[in-house]
Amino acid sequence: LGASCDWTRLRFTLDEGLSRAVRTVFVSLYNDGLIYRDVAMVNWCPFCRTAISDVEVEYRDRNDKLYQIHYPVADSDRQLTVATTRPETMLGDTALAVHPDDERYKDLIGREAILPIANRRIPIVADPILVDMSFGTGVVKVTPSHDKNDYEAGLRNNLAQMPVIDETGKMTAAAGSDFEGLDRFDARKKVLEQLRELDALGDVKDYQHSVGVHGKCDTIIEPMLSRQWFVKIEPLAKPAIEVVRNGEIQIIPQTWEATYFNWMENIRDWTISRQLWWGHRIPAFYCDNGHMTVAIEDPSSCPTCGSANITQETDVLDTWFSSGLWPFSTMGWPDKTPDLETFYPTDVLITGFDILFFWVARMIMLGLRFTNSVPFSQVFLNGLVRDEHGQKMSKTKGNVIDPLDVIDEFGADALRFTLAIFATGRDIPLAKSRVQGYGAFANKIWNASRFAMMHLDTQLKDAGSIDRDALGTVERWILSRLNETTRDVNKSLSAFRFDEASNAIYHFFWHEFCDWYIEMVKPVLLGKHGSDTDRKQAKRVLLEVLDRSLRLLHPFMPFITDEIWLKLGGVEPSVMVAPYPVAEDVLEDAEADSMIDAVTSMITTVRNVRVERGFTPKDRFKLYVTTSNEREAASFNDYAYLLIELARLTDVIVNTAAPEGAHHDVVAGFAIAIEFPPREVTKEQLEKTQRELEKSRKELAALDAKLANEQFVNNAPTAVVQQAQARQIELRERIAKLEQNQ
RNA sequence: AGGCUCUUAGCUCAGUUGGUUAGAGCGCCACCUUGACACGGUGGAGGUCAGCGGUUCGAGUCCGCUAGAGCCUACCA
C-alpha cells in the first residue's frame, strides 16, 4: 500500500529493551500498590485455559432455551421454581435466593430447599441486590463458583463455594459420579434428562440472550474463581480522562470521545495475568518458604529468607500490557535516549476504533503515569473495511476481500486511493468496482503525463521560473484552478478529511486538467495556433501543473506519481522528499476564471444543442456572442480558436445578429446564438424545448415570489438576495431567448 | 437496558456555521475510434433528501416524535 516505515527502528515485543521497560513498569506499579494478586471471579477461556480481561470478551446473540427447575422446600410439600439457561450449573448451587420483601416467599427465608439430582440441602436466603421480585418467579438459584453475580451474593450471605466445572470446561468430582469428566455442554443434556425423570423440569422456552465468548477462539467464557494478577485501574484512568477532556489529546472523529469517557468512567480492574506459554513472564519470584519478591532483575536467592530455592511466576502478561508502553518503550525508555528526546511525545496515532480500549486507552494511561506526558496529541480512528454492502468480512460469509488480490488486480495506488476517499471515521464498504474506477484514474494520470512528456523538451530542474505577467488567459486559469485545489487539499488534510482532499485532486486532475486544459493547449502545442513564445509558455505551464499535481497526489498514489515525477527530472531524488505544494495568493486569477468559465459553458451548450438536434461532431456550427463590454469582445475574438476547436465551430462572431432559425440561449450572462445547417425539427426536440421552458418558468415564478417577500429581502444576507436577483434577470433573458427558438 | 451513529440517485457515499438550480464514483441510455487515454471522450436520464410534526422569511442541514439499520458498553436469573 505504500506505507512509509523506518525499518531501521523495527521493534519486537520480546526484545531485550522492551522487556526491561515492561519489568520496570510492572515493578513500579506493584510497589505503588497498583498491581495486586488476588483470588477473584475472572473470565476464563476453557479452550485456551487462561484468564482473559473484560475487553477480550465479545458478546454474541444466541437463541437458547430457558429451563424452569423445581426445587422442593425441605420438610414441606411446597416447591420453588427457578429459571436458568445453564442447568448444569445447578450441581454447584449452594443456595436459593428471594427478595426480602417478597410476600410470596417471606416465610421460607432461613429454611432449606432440596437440590434435585444431588439431593443436597441448600439454604433459602434473602438478597435484595441479586433478586428482582418482578422478574420471572422471583426465585434465583445461586451458584457462587460459576457466576459473577452469584459469587458476590455468596460473599454477602456467607455461602459455600462449590466448583463443579474445571479449567478445561469439564465437570469435577463435586458434580457427582454421574457427571464427573463430562464436558459442560454434555453435562447439560444429562442434567436435563435426569430432571425430566425426577419430574423436576418445568417449562422450557425459547430464549434469546447474549453470551460472552473469547474474541480469539469463540469459546463460551466460563466465569471462574482463580488467583490472578490485576491492575488497580481507577488511579490511572482519572488523569487519562482529564487529558481528553481538556483537549491535550484529541480523538478524531470526536464522537468517539463520548465512548471513551463512558468506558473510562466505568472501568474495572484489569486482569493482566495469562496462563499462556508466550509473553512477558511476570517478574514475581516465590521461594520455598512462601515469600514473594517482585523485582526488575532476577534474584538469585530470596531477599526475605535467603533461600536459594526460588522460582519465577509462570503466568505471563496480557499482550496489551507491553503494547500499552509502545510509544516510549520503542524509543529506549526507561533510558533517556536521543530518540525519546526527539520523537516523544508523538503527534498522531492512527488506528481502528476496535482497539480504542485495548490499546489507545492503555497507552494514554501508562504514558501519563511513566512519562508525565501524553503519548500523542491526536488519535485518528479510521473506519473498518467491510464488503460492498457494508457487511463485516468473514470467512463463513465468504465475503472476504484479500488486499493482496486487489493490489494484483488493480494496483496498490488504486486500492490506497479508494481507502482514502471514504469519509473520515466511517466504515468503508469496499467495492471492487470502486477500486477499478480509481485504477482507471491511475491510468488517466499515466496517459496525461505521457501526452505532456511527448511535448516537453526540458527537465523540471532546468525549466526556470514562470513569467506570470506574460501568461495568456488559459495558462492563468489552470494555475489559478490548481492553486485553489492546492488550498483545498491542504485544508482538508489538516482536518483529517482525506476524502475531501483526494476528491479535490481527483476532480482537478481529471475534469479540469485533462478534460479542459489539455484539450485547450492542444492547438498551441500542435502548432495550429499561437506563436513560438505561446508554445514555450504553454509547455512551461504544462510542466508546472504536472509537477504540482503529482506532488499533491503523491500521498494518495505514491507509486505512479513517483514513477512519473522521476521522468520529469526534478531536483529532489524522489517526489517523496519534494516539498508538498502550498497555495500562493499570486496565482489566484478571478478574471481568467470567469473568462474560461464563460468559454467552457458556451462549449458545453453548443455540444448539448448538437446532440439534441441530432447532429454529429462532423457537423460544424457558427456561434454568435453578444457583449457590450469591449474588453470581453476582444477576449472572445482572441479565444475564438478555443471555441472553434472544442465546440467544433466554423466561426465565432461577436456582436452581430444571428440569422433566422438559430438557437438562442443565455450562457454565463452572455446572450449567444448557434447557427446550424438546416434540418427538420423533430417532435421530441420540440417537446424538449417546451420542457426546458416550463422548467425555467417554474423556477422564475418561485424566484419572483421569493423576491416579492419582504421578510426574505430584509432578513436574508445581501449576497443571497443579490444572487437571487441576478438569477432572476438571467432567467428572464433565458426565457425570452428560448421563446425565440419556438 | 444505556450510549453513539446512520437512513440523500439503481448501488456505495459526499453535502462545512440553515441561504442560488441537492453533488461524486460505479451502473444505465445515446452518440463518437477526434493526434495521451475505449481503463477513453461528449451529451443525457434518474432524487417528494425514511415518515410525521415543529422552529424560521427560508430546512437535506436545527428541535421533537415514529419506523428501520449498524456500532459500543453493560447484562437480566
Side-chain angles (χ1 to χ4, degrees):
Chain A
L1 276 174
S4 189
C5 303
D6 181 354
W7 298 108
T8 66
R9 287 186 166 78
L10 191 67
R11 292 290 182 275
F12 174 56
T13 318
L14 292 179
D15 280 350
E16 174 61 30
L18 268 61
S19 300
R20 202 155 51 88
V22 166
R23 280 199 168 197
T24 306
V25 166
F26 188 97
V27 171
S28 167
L29 289 174
Y30 178 80
N31 289 338
D32 292 342
L34 294 179
I35 282 182
Y36 61 93
R37 190 178 184 225
D38 197 10
V39 173
M41 259 300 172
V42 295
N43 305 299
W44 184 269
C45 175
F47 179 77
C48 302
R49 297 184 195 177
T50 182
I52 60 172
S53 68
D54 291 339
V55 281
E56 285 170 277
V57 179
E58 290 178 15
Y59 289 90
R60 301 275 153 82
D61 281 335
R62 278 173 56 113
N63 293 311
D64 276 328
K65 304 275 185 203
L66 184 65
Y67 305 94
Q68 281 197 341
I69 304 174
H70 306 306
Y71 290 59
V73 177
D75 313 315
S76 151
D77 50 8
R78 290 176 66 180
Q79 64 174 21
L80 291 175
T81 303
V82 303
T84 181
T85 54
R86 304 195 53 196
E88 71 280 10
T89 63
M90 71 164 290
L91 299 168
D93 284 359
T94 55
L96 289 185
V98 297
H99 196 280
D101 301 334
D102 195 333
E103 293 299 335
R104 293 171 294 181
Y105 309 118
K106 236 176 179 168
D107 57 316
L108 298 178
I109 296 168
R111 294 182 62 176
E112 288 181 321
I114 294 166
L115 189 64
I117 301 177
N119 279 319
R120 258 191 301 119
R121 284 183 169 235
I122 54 174
I124 300 170
V125 300
D127 192 312
I129 297 167
L130 182 68
V131 183
D132 173 1
M133 271 197 284
S134 59
F135 191 94
T137 58
V139 187
V140 183
K141 63 192 266 314
V142 189
T143 322
S145 297
H146 298 289
D147 182 281
K148 216 171 264 185
N149 292 316
D150 290 7
Y151 172 69
E152 278 153 23
L155 292 180
R156 285 193 296 271
N157 296 287
N158 285 318
L159 301 178
Q161 284 286 337
M162 191 170 171
V164 288
I165 301 171
D166 69 13
E167 68 279 1
T168 68
K170 290 194 167 59
M171 306 308 285
T172 63
S177 51
D178 285 357
F179 301 97
E180 186 181 357
L182 276 185
D183 177 82
R184 51 189 168 150
F185 299 109
D186 294 331
R188 178 177 302 178
K189 285 179 203 150
K190 195 156 185 177
V191 164
L192 288 170
E193 271 169 34
Q194 295 200 6
L195 285 174
R196 218 170 263 126
E197 281 164 25
L198 294 168
D199 222 10
L201 188 66
D203 287 349
V204 179
K205 278 190 234 160
D206 286 330
Y207 191 68
Q208 200 195 42
H209 64 151
S210 64
V211 176
V213 301
H214 185 192
K216 283 234 191 302
C217 66
D218 246 21
T219 305
I220 294 178
I221 291 304
E222 192 60 52
M224 268 218 266
L225 205 56
S226 72
R227 186 184 293 274
Q228 301 290 342
W229 293 83
F230 299 90
V231 174
K232 195 174 169 194
I233 205 78
E234 217 189 309
L236 296 173
K238 282 215 163 106
I241 292 170
E242 184 50 30
V243 291
V244 174
R245 221 179 270 293
N246 69 21
E248 272 185 76
I249 293 179
Q250 192 191 356
I251 300 178
I252 300 147
Q254 208 185 348
T255 49
W256 282 102
E257 288 184 0
T259 308
Y260 175 84
F261 291 137
N262 183 44
W263 189 70
M264 292 294 268
E265 279 159 8
N266 299 294
I267 197 165
R268 292 185 304 190
D269 283 359
W270 176 14
T271 312
I272 49 169
S273 48
R274 297 286 180 278
Q275 290 66 52
L276 298 170
W277 286 98
W278 198 90
H280 291 280
R281 228 166 133 180
I282 288 175
F285 303 84
Y286 310 102
C287 80
D288 51 359
N289 292 319
H291 301 125
M292 184 175 82
T293 308
V294 171
I296 294 175
E297 301 297 336
D298 292 7
S300 54
S301 60
C302 176
T304 310
C305 66
S307 166
N309 201 355
I310 191 163
T311 53
Q312 186 173 355
E313 169 67 79
T314 53
D315 285 0
V316 296
L317 285 166
D318 180 3
T319 183
W320 297 103
F321 188 89
S322 54
S323 303
L325 315 177
W326 200 252
F328 50 95
S329 66
T330 49
M331 296 184 188
W333 188 93
D335 296 337
K336 286 190 175 132
T337 63
D339 270 5
L340 197 63
E341 187 68 27
T342 310
F343 300 115
Y344 192 86
T346 64
D347 297 320
V348 187
L349 174 80
I350 302 178
T351 190
F353 63 80
D354 50 333
I355 51 176
L356 182 61
F357 303 137
F358 281 106
W359 195 34
V360 182
R362 269 98 179 242
M363 284 193 282
I364 296 174
M365 290 190 282
L366 294 168
L368 285 170
R369 178 94 190 167
F370 290 96
T371 68
N372 265 324
S373 155
V374 293
F376 30 71
S377 47
Q378 291 179 307
V379 179
F380 176 72
L381 297 172
N382 53 256
L384 248 41
V385 179
R386 297 171 174 273
D387 79 1
E388 60 188 302
H389 300 295
Q391 298 290 307
K392 208 166 178 173
M393 290 187 197
S394 84
K395 283 181 194 160
T396 354
K397 282 186 204 152
N399 61 348
V400 176
I401 301 173
D402 185 335
L404 294 177
D405 291 342
V406 178
I407 288 171
D408 282 345
E409 201 172 347
F410 306 110
D413 282 336
L415 179 56
R416 185 180 170 101
F417 196 90
T418 309
L419 296 177
I421 209 160
F422 282 95
T424 296
R426 293 197 48 177
D427 284 354
I428 299 171
L430 188 64
K432 276 198 173 183
S433 64
R434 194 96 188 233
V435 185
Q436 190 173 23
Y438 296 119
F441 179 47
N443 194 53
K444 190 77 183 176
I445 297 167
W446 184 257
N447 282 311
S449 304
R450 209 156 57 100
F451 169 80
M453 285 185 285
M454 265 166 48
H455 296 280
L456 296 177
D457 37 32
T458 176
Q459 293 262 289
L460 194 48
K461 57 175 175 277
D462 307 321
S465 60
I466 295 174
D467 179 7
R468 290 196 175 109
D469 298 333
L471 294 181
T473 306
V474 176
E475 274 67 36
R476 296 205 323 264
W477 166 75
I478 196 66
L479 288 174
S480 176
R481 295 301 311 142
L482 174 58
N483 193 56
E484 192 177 328
T485 306
T486 306
R487 193 192 311 282
D488 290 348
V489 168
N490 278 296
K491 191 178 158 210
S492 299
L493 284 180
S494 56
F496 292 89
R497 290 299 305 260
F498 304 118
D499 58 325
E500 284 181 353
S502 49
N503 230 332
I505 181 69
Y506 175 93
H507 183 266
F508 169 79
F509 195 88
W510 199 321
H511 299 301
E512 293 188 288
F513 178 61
C514 291
D515 288 351
W516 285 109
Y517 180 70
I518 287 186
E519 295 307 320
M520 285 175 170
V521 290
K522 271 181 184 172
V524 175
L525 292 177
L526 297 171
K528 284 185 186 171
H529 184 272
S531 63
D532 283 350
T533 318
D534 292 337
R535 200 150 21 259
K536 216 175 150 189
Q537 293 281 17
K539 285 182 185 178
R540 181 63 192 88
V541 170
L542 186 62
L543 183 61
E544 181 77 6
V545 174
L546 197 54
D547 168 38
R548 283 183 178 236
S549 298
L550 290 171
R551 285 194 265 167
L552 276 180
L553 261 165
H554 180 256
F556 304 97
M557 290 198 154
F559 297 103
I560 193 168
T561 49
D562 199 41
E563 178 76 21
I564 299 167
W565 199 83
L566 289 176
K567 287 188 203 296
L568 291 180
V571 179
E572 292 84 359
S574 160
V575 67
M576 236 181 276
V577 291
Y580 202 65
V582 287
E584 299 167 41
D585 289 348
V586 18
L587 291 172
E588 267 177 48
D589 198 323
E591 196 191 48
D593 286 351
S594 67
M595 181 66 207
I596 298 298
D597 181 54
V599 168
T600 54
S601 301
M602 285 177 196
I603 293 168
T604 303
T605 304
V606 174
R607 286 167 173 171
N608 186 350
V609 168
R610 174 174 281 114
V611 172
E612 271 181 21
R613 300 273 173 158
F615 290 102
T616 74
K618 289 191 182 91
D619 302 305
R620 297 239 161 193
F621 300 168
K622 269 186 194 168
L623 180 68
Y624 296 78
V625 184
T626 311
T627 169
S628 54
N629 182 319
E630 274 182 38
R631 206 182 144 98
E632 283 172 354
S635 277
F636 281 116
N637 281 320
D638 286 348
Y639 291 98
Y641 78 94
L642 287 180
L643 290 154
I644 289 169
E645 288 292 327
L646 300 186
R648 300 189 151 260
L649 304 171
T650 54
D651 292 294
V652 175
I653 300 155
V654 182
N655 286 340
T656 304
E660 197 74 13
H663 174 95
H664 295 271
D665 208 337
V666 176
V667 175
F670 296 97
I672 64 163
I674 302 162
E675 185 193 350
F676 35 74
R679 169 167 294 197
E680 217 163 293
V681 182
T682 67
K683 204 177 155 197
E684 284 92 22
Q685 283 150 23
L686 273 176
E687 280 169 1
K688 188 150 187 186
T689 312
Q690 199 58 39
R691 276 204 304 275
E692 187 93 340
L693 249 176
E694 271 166 29
K695 209 175 140 190
S696 291
R697 281 179 183 145
K698 212 170 150 187
E699 196 193 329
L700 182 61
L703 212 52
D704 285 344
K706 204 173 178 182
L707 285 163
N709 183 346
E710 278 179 36
Q711 298 266 34
F712 169 72
V713 179
N714 294 336
N715 293 318
T718 354
V720 173
V721 177
Q722 280 171 356
Q723 276 169 352
Q725 285 165 341
R727 178 71 183 160
Q728 191 184 33
I729 292 165
E730 188 173 327
L731 277 171
R732 281 191 188 135
E733 284 176 13
R734 181 135 202 269
I735 288 166
K737 291 290 175 190
L738 291 173
E739 279 168 346
Q740 220 176 319
N741 293 337
Q742 291 179 308

